[in-house]
Amino acid sequence: WSFEPWQAQLVDFTRRLLALRRDNPAFRQRHFFTEGGSEDKQDVLWWHPNGHALQHSDWNDPEQRCLGMVVANGDGLGGKHLFLLALNANDHAVDFRLPENFAEASVDVYTTEHPPAMAHGVIELPARSSIVLSRQS
C-alpha cells in the first residue's frame, strides 16, 4: 500500500493511542471514575483552562468549550503517574493553564501536526484539538 502523508500520520496517531491505552490502566477503566474524597481514592479531576478545578457553574456555561481531565494510573490522584487529557472544541486557540504538578509534564499524544507549545505551566491548545500529557513523580 502507498499511503498519502495524512494517512501515514493517522496510522501513527492511532498506534500511539492504542499503545497509551494498552500500557496504562487509567485508559482501561471498568468502572466509573471516582470524584471527590481523599487523593488516594479519587481517580479523576475535571480541570478548567483558567487553572482551577471545574465548578458546578462551569458545567452549565454554554460558552465553555474547553476542559481538562486529570486521571490516575490506578493509584489515585496522589499517586506517581498521572495523565491530563485536554480538549479544545473552540474555533480559536486557548491558553490552557496546567495544574501545578503538570508544569514539567511531557506531551504524549496530540491531534495537531506538531506538539503544542508549553511554557511556564501554560500550553497553547490550537482550535479543535486535544492532547494527552503525562507526569511521573
Side-chain angles (χ1 to χ4, degrees):
W1 290 359
S2 177
F3 285 134
E4 295 290 323
W6 70 268
Q7 292 169 316
Q9 290 171 347
L10 181 60
V11 168
D12 180 56
F13 175 75
T14 304
R15 281 187 182 127
R16 286 184 286 147
L17 279 179
L18 290 170
L20 186 70
R21 185 175 189 276
R22 179 193 64 230
D23 297 341
N24 298 286
F27 300 107
R28 297 189 314 269
Q29 292 286 336
R30 293 184 178 189
H31 306 286
F32 288 107
F33 286 109
T34 306
E35 193 174 14
S38 64
E39 278 193 345
D40 60 333
K41 300 290 184 206
Q42 182 180 4
D43 56 12
V44 67
L45 173 67
W46 298 99
W47 196 254
H48 193 284
N50 288 345
H52 58 81
L54 278 173
Q55 305 297 313
H56 181 73
S57 59
D58 296 322
W59 289 106
N60 296 308
D61 180 358
E63 301 300 313
Q64 182 63 33
R65 299 192 187 311
C66 184
L67 63 82
M69 180 176 114
V70 178
V71 294
N73 210 15
D75 51 2
L77 292 180
K80 296 182 181 200
H81 198 173
L82 300 176
F83 295 94
L84 170 65
L85 170 62
L87 308 164
N88 180 15
N90 286 298
D91 59 1
H92 59 275
V94 170
D95 286 338
F96 192 98
R97 187 164 305 283
L98 301 171
E100 225 174 86
N101 55 355
F102 277 88
E104 303 297 322
S106 63
V107 178
D108 291 336
V109 179
Y110 43 92
T111 58
T112 55
E113 193 170 333
H114 303 287
M118 182 166 61
H120 309 293
V122 176
I123 194 160
E124 182 183 349
L125 277 181
R128 296 179 192 89
S129 67
S130 59
I131 60 165
V132 176
L133 294 101
S134 65
R135 177 199 67 91
Q136 291 190 27
S137 59

